[in-house]
Amino acid sequence: LNTDVPTIFEYILGIAWYYISEENINVRKSLNLTLDADLLPLSHASGGDGDIIVDYGDLTMMLEATLMNKNAQRRSELEPVIRHAANLSINQINPVITVFIADELDNNVLNIFRASASIEFEGTNVDGRIKGINIFALKISEVIRMLSKEIYVSKLIETICEYSINNAPQFINSNWREPMIEFLFD
């Protein structure tokens, strides 16, 4: 392959998500990668859109993938993930869930993602506003675990919906994610 490691990671994640989605998605349409004639990746998603956007009919899921360690996530991933989630949510009729996927997760970034459900956002490259965005995070090892245990996207969506906060501002504790992961793998 004549491409970089982050592009290969997004490509492999797209294939993995095909199986997590019980083979019911169009991977080629979902990937925001440039592909060659053999459908191999050339370059990763441009800066204006999410990495992988999956249309499930009544729900849209955006995957934002990074290989940055947790020390770099706040500086390099926090703003783009929130911006992409807000812009996509404004443009969609159906609900949008964003899933941030990284090797390790920074708790401060996760807390800000969680708090984003209680914040009104304005579009940056689209007109409009959205009252709250839903961003959840998974470690790469948890995606692998979902594959190996045959835990499908329906269970992930159920988990996120079961534990999502309402629109009223709430204090966000650093351990808010643990019960969700336990529920997902239960």
Side-chain angles (χ1 to χ4, degrees), residues 150-164:
E150 297 182 2
I151 296 172
Y152 300 111
V153 73
S154 56
K155 176 73 174 194
L156 177 63
I157 293 167
E158 176 190 359
T159 301
I160 292 169
C161 292
E162 178 76 21
Y163 285 88
S164 65

Side-chain angles (χ1 to χ4, degrees), residues 3 23-24 65 86 92 102 139 145-146 148 158 173 179-180:
T3 191
E23 303 177 22
N24 287 326
Q92 295 291 314
K139 295 178 187 175
R145 192 169 159 201
M146 287 177 70
S148 68
E158 176 190 359
N173 291 312
M180 294 177 79

Side-chain angles (χ1 to χ4, degrees), residues 47-102:
D49 292 319
D51 298 332
I52 300 169
I53 300 173
V54 183
D55 180 7
Y56 290 109
D58 60 347
L59 179 131
T60 300
M61 185 170 282
M62 180 173 63
L63 307 179
E64 289 279 11
T66 188
L67 293 172
M68 291 186 185
N69 69 31
K70 65 183 187 178
N71 296 323
Q73 288 173 12
R74 189 172 327 142
R75 179 182 66 253
S76 300
E77 296 292 342
L78 183 66
E79 187 279 332
V81 171
I82 291 172
R83 177 171 33 89
H84 295 163
N87 288 337
L88 182 62
S89 296
I90 290 167
N91 270 344
Q92 295 291 314
I93 295 171
N94 295 320
V96 173
I97 294 174
T98 298
V99 180
F100 178 72
I101 300 169

Side-chain angles (χ1 to χ4, degrees), residues 2-186:
N2 285 335
T3 191
D4 58 7
V5 173
T7 302
I8 295 168
F9 174 53
E10 286 179 23
Y11 184 76
I12 292 170
L13 181 60
I15 293 167
W17 214 259
Y18 172 75
Y19 291 103
I20 288 171
S21 297
E22 299 182 79
E23 303 177 22
N24 287 326
I25 64 169
N26 185 325
V27 176
R28 201 177 88 238
K29 283 186 178 179
S30 299
L31 291 171
N32 283 330
L33 298 170
T34 303
L35 303 174
D36 68 13
D38 295 321
L39 300 179
L40 295 173
L42 292 172
S43 63
H44 59 279
S46 65
D49 292 319
D51 298 332
I52 300 169
I53 300 173
V54 183
D55 180 7
Y56 290 109
D58 60 347
L59 179 131
T60 300
M61 185 170 282
M62 180 173 63
L63 307 179
E64 289 279 11
T66 188
L67 293 172
M68 291 186 185
N69 69 31
K70 65 183 187 178
N71 296 323
Q73 288 173 12
R74 189 172 327 142
R75 179 182 66 253
S76 300
E77 296 292 342
L78 183 66
E79 187 279 332
V81 171
I82 291 172
R83 177 171 33 89
H84 295 163
N87 288 337
L88 182 62
S89 296
I90 290 167
N91 270 344
Q92 295 291 314
I93 295 171
N94 295 320
V96 173
I97 294 174
T98 298
V99 180
F100 178 72
I101 300 169
D103 190 42
E104 54 184 355
L105 301 171
D106 177 272
N107 279 330
N108 292 321
V109 170
L110 297 181
N111 291 346
I112 294 168
F113 285 164
R114 178 79 166 177
S116 295
S118 299
I119 300 170
E120 182 178 67
F121 291 93
E122 294 184 12
T124 57
N125 65 355
V126 298
D127 291 329
R129 295 176 183 201
I130 187 77
K131 291 186 177 186
I133 53 177
N134 200 343
I135 305 174
F136 185 65
L138 288 170
K139 295 178 187 175
I140 295 169
S141 62
E142 292 165 342
V143 172
I144 293 167
R145 192 169 159 201
M146 287 177 70
L147 286 165
S148 68
K149 291 185 160 266
E150 297 182 2
I151 296 172
Y152 300 111
V153 73
S154 56
K155 176 73 174 194
L156 177 63
I157 293 167
E158 176 190 359
T159 301
I160 292 169
C161 292
E162 178 76 21
Y163 285 88
S164 65
I165 60 174
N166 59 28
N167 290 331
Q170 297 180 4
F171 186 81
I172 307 296
N173 291 312
S174 289
N175 65 345
W176 65 268
R177 187 177 165 279
E178 282 79 21
M180 294 177 79
I181 293 299
E182 288 175 19
F183 181 84
L184 176 63
F185 292 109
D186 183 27

